[in-house]
Amino acid sequence: MARYFDVHPKDPQPRSIAQSVQILRDGGLIAYPTDSCFALGCTLGNRDGRDRIVRIRQLNDKHNFTLMCRDFAQLGQLVHIDNRVFRAIKAATPGPYTFILPATSEVPHRLQQPKKKTVGVRISDHPVARALVAELGEPIMTSTLLLPGEEDPLTDGWQVKDTLDHQVDAVIDSGECGVEPTTVVDFSDGYAEVTRVGAGDPDPFEA
């Protein structure tokens, strides 16, 4: 059964965050809130966690995994980004956007999109997500908690626990969570292409 953490939405309890991060470090898979609905997360080196996300979401090999980052210094170690793209992303973060960019050698091959060698990166504006990444000290490999055949992602902590009780190791519930997935902007070909319209305003990236 998954552990359930009920945390404050704006000032999450450090003890609960530390316990959740320990579960990540021990090879666990967690469900946690972001500014764009719940997400599944594990450490970058967790092969089993990545495979569990694939099974839960029934993902194919065209899927771009997302790395939840603490700040731009961390993000810049994971993707190749020029000054023009940097300025565009900087203006929109932190926030409910995922950016697809060419991955650096810091990103394990199994997390890169096989053909394009890209990966998604984002910086969340949700206090719980930010606290988790800060405590962990490295990015969290993340995927929107959108189940197969469903149009809408899960947004209620107890519903997540009931549905995935034996498939994840912890559920972190802050009571306040976004209800739409991120807006996805693909920069992998050198220009902005909005490939999914979600919680983030797509207008700044549509010429």
Side-chain angles (χ1 to χ4, degrees), residues 72 75-76 79-90 101-102 104 187-192:
F72 269 92
L75 185 149
V79 291
H80 296 288
I81 182 168
D82 63 27
N83 288 336
R84 179 182 57 84
V85 173
F86 176 88
R87 287 193 296 271
I89 294 176
K90 180 78 170 176
L101 289 155
T104 69
F187 279 104
S188 59
D189 291 320
Y191 57 88

Side-chain angles (χ1 to χ4, degrees), residues 62-110:
K62 295 180 180 179
H63 180 75
N64 273 289
F65 287 105
T66 298
L67 307 181
M68 181 70 77
C69 300
R70 181 183 65 246
D71 51 30
F72 269 92
Q74 199 172 70
L75 185 149
Q77 296 174 355
L78 303 168
V79 291
H80 296 288
I81 182 168
D82 63 27
N83 288 336
R84 179 182 57 84
V85 173
F86 176 88
R87 287 193 296 271
I89 294 176
K90 180 78 170 176
T93 54
Y97 295 90
T98 297
F99 302 100
I100 309 299
L101 289 155
T104 69
S105 59
E106 296 292 317
V107 180
H109 287 294
R110 65 182 176 279

